[in-house]
Amino acid sequence: MNREELLAFLRTWLPKFRKTIWFRIIYLVVLGIIVAQLYLFTASAISCLIILLIPVLVFVIPYWLGERKIRRFAGNGALVFMIAILVAAAMPTQAILAQSNAVPLRSFPDFRSAAGLNLTNGTVQPYRGVPGQTFTFRVNLTTAGNGTPDAFNVTLNLTAVDGFAFTPTSYRMAYSPGPISSPNTRNGTWYERNVTLGGSIYIYGFSVNDRGRNWTETVSDAGPIIASGWSFYAFFLYYLVAVQGGFPAELVLYLGIIFLWWYMTRARERVMRAGRPAAKPETPPTKPERKEATERTKAGKAAAFTCTNCGADVSESDQKCPSCGAAFED
């Protein structure tokens, strides 16, 4: 099949395919995947734009493809957002399961950080394990001034997730001497803590304070990886829907767009109906009008015959012409 034949085939096949239910299913599935990919940008600087773009996109594409029924718009939105949630939960699950080593955690100056207290290289070893295994958590503390390891409280913040329950636990970390661990915190001091864990999902992070009001925390990350992939998938589904709440908010915005479209359509129809002249109801004729119409009918019937000899009008009952006297034959 050459290029021209292929184009001719597509021109005849696509219009037929667009009328089937499979076309609608395919473009809604693709739209759901696109929405899931766009949702990742809600954590970026253009989050406000993405939050508004997603419901508009879910409405505009089916409208462009010919959808006009409000029930179909509602069904489209439910299916698209359901697919988007399933795909959006699968993406971080796949990323965590594919990750082989822990990402080093650190503190940032603009995120819960006190001046002069810096945490870096926070990790857990091993990153993957089985229930009942002991894991080692390590983090490096660097201060602006001289200090001893005992002058600071370095803490491991570990949250266990079991179903819908979040159980946070804090463990005091101890100074870990070694060739690269200085007893002077200004030069970088390592702290560690060994913890035996079960089969839950765990989220860990680190914090430090100087026994006063100065606190510094690192960002958090999932780990160590002990639970199954399905457990992580269920966790991210719950997180996206119930904890973060982004997709429910997107659905509410989408329903608002549908309502506005429906309201404007109804308002436009009312305006168009109001601009049309109202049809006058037909009134039955009065008695004089009926009598006059009857007389006109009789006169018409009476004038329906003419004399073939002189052309004068005659009635049906005449035997001869009243004008010329010619006799009529039956």
Side-chain angles (χ1 to χ4, degrees):
M1 181 180 293
N2 55 30
R3 182 172 177 271
E4 288 74 14
E5 292 176 346
L6 178 61
L7 292 176
F9 171 76
L10 292 177
R11 279 195 295 267
T12 57
W13 178 77
L14 283 177
K16 297 179 181 178
F17 180 67
R18 284 193 59 175
K19 298 178 181 179
T20 64
I21 188 63
W22 295 108
F23 175 76
R24 184 186 178 200
I25 293 175
I26 289 174
Y27 84 73
L28 290 179
V29 170
V30 173
L31 185 57
I33 296 174
I34 293 174
V35 169
Q37 297 292 335
L38 287 175
Y39 190 77
L40 297 176
F41 292 96
T42 56
S44 65
I46 58 173
S47 59
C48 294
L49 176 62
I50 297 300
I51 290 173
L52 295 176
L53 177 62
I54 288 176
V56 171
L57 190 68
V58 176
F59 175 81
V60 168
I61 289 182
Y63 186 88
W64 177 64
L65 292 173
E67 294 286 4
R68 293 297 184 273
K69 296 182 179 179
I70 191 169
R71 290 185 178 179
R72 285 212 166 189
F73 278 117
N76 291 346
L79 180 60
V80 168
F81 282 108
M82 182 182 68
I83 294 172
I85 292 172
L86 295 176
V87 175
M91 289 189 290
T93 302
Q94 191 273 337
I96 286 179
L97 296 179
Q99 185 175 328
S100 57
N101 296 312
V103 177
L105 305 182
R106 57 164 299 176
S107 59
F108 293 92
D110 297 330
F111 177 78
R112 299 178 181 178
S113 180
L117 293 176
N118 300 311
L119 293 173
T120 57
N121 295 322
T123 59
V124 56
Q125 294 294 334
Y127 184 64
R128 296 179 177 276
V130 295
Q133 185 174 345
T134 300
F135 298 86
T136 301
F137 296 85
R138 290 171 56 86
V139 68
N140 184 270
L141 170 65
T142 304
T143 60
N146 296 323
T148 61
D150 295 337
F152 301 92
N153 291 327
V154 180
T155 305
L156 164 66
N157 302 314
L158 192 65
T159 300
V161 181
D162 294 287
F164 300 142
F166 290 72
T167 307
T169 307
S170 297
Y171 299 92
R172 177 75 180 273
M173 302 183 72
Y175 167 58
S176 176
I180 59 173
S181 181
S182 173
N184 186 349
T185 56
R186 183 175 184 177
N187 300 323
T189 303
W190 283 94
Y191 293 79
E192 71 175 34
R193 177 64 186 256
N194 295 325
V195 182
T196 301
L197 301 176
S200 305
I201 295 175
Y202 293 97
I203 302 172
Y204 74 102
F206 304 93
S207 62
V208 60
N209 71 82
D210 57 0
R211 301 182 185 274
R213 296 183 178 180
N214 297 319
W215 284 81
T216 292
E217 296 182 14
T218 66
V219 294
S220 300
D221 194 14
I225 306 303
I226 305 173
S228 65
W230 288 110
S231 298
F232 276 99
Y233 186 65
F235 165 73
F236 283 114
L237 284 176
Y238 171 73
Y239 178 79
L240 289 173
V241 175
V243 178
Q244 192 180 51
F247 277 108
E250 297 285 3
L251 181 59
V252 171
L253 288 176
Y254 174 73
L255 294 177
I257 292 175
I258 293 179
F259 174 77
L260 290 176
W261 169 78
W262 172 82
Y263 180 80
M264 289 188 295
T265 302
R266 292 290 298 272
R268 185 168 57 250
E269 291 176 354
R270 287 196 296 267
V271 170
M272 293 178 64
R273 286 196 298 266
R276 296 173 184 170
K280 295 182 179 180
E282 295 184 359
T283 56
T286 60
K287 289 184 178 180
E289 291 176 347
R290 287 198 297 267
K291 183 177 180 181
E292 183 179 353
T294 303
E295 292 177 353
R296 285 198 300 267
T297 303
K298 290 181 178 180
K301 290 182 178 180
F305 297 94
T306 58
C307 177
T308 57
N309 186 39
C310 65
D313 293 333
V314 295
S315 64
E316 184 179 2
S317 60
D318 291 338
Q319 298 295 325
K320 61 180 180 179
C321 178
S323 178
C324 65
F328 301 140
E329 296 180 359
D330 293 337

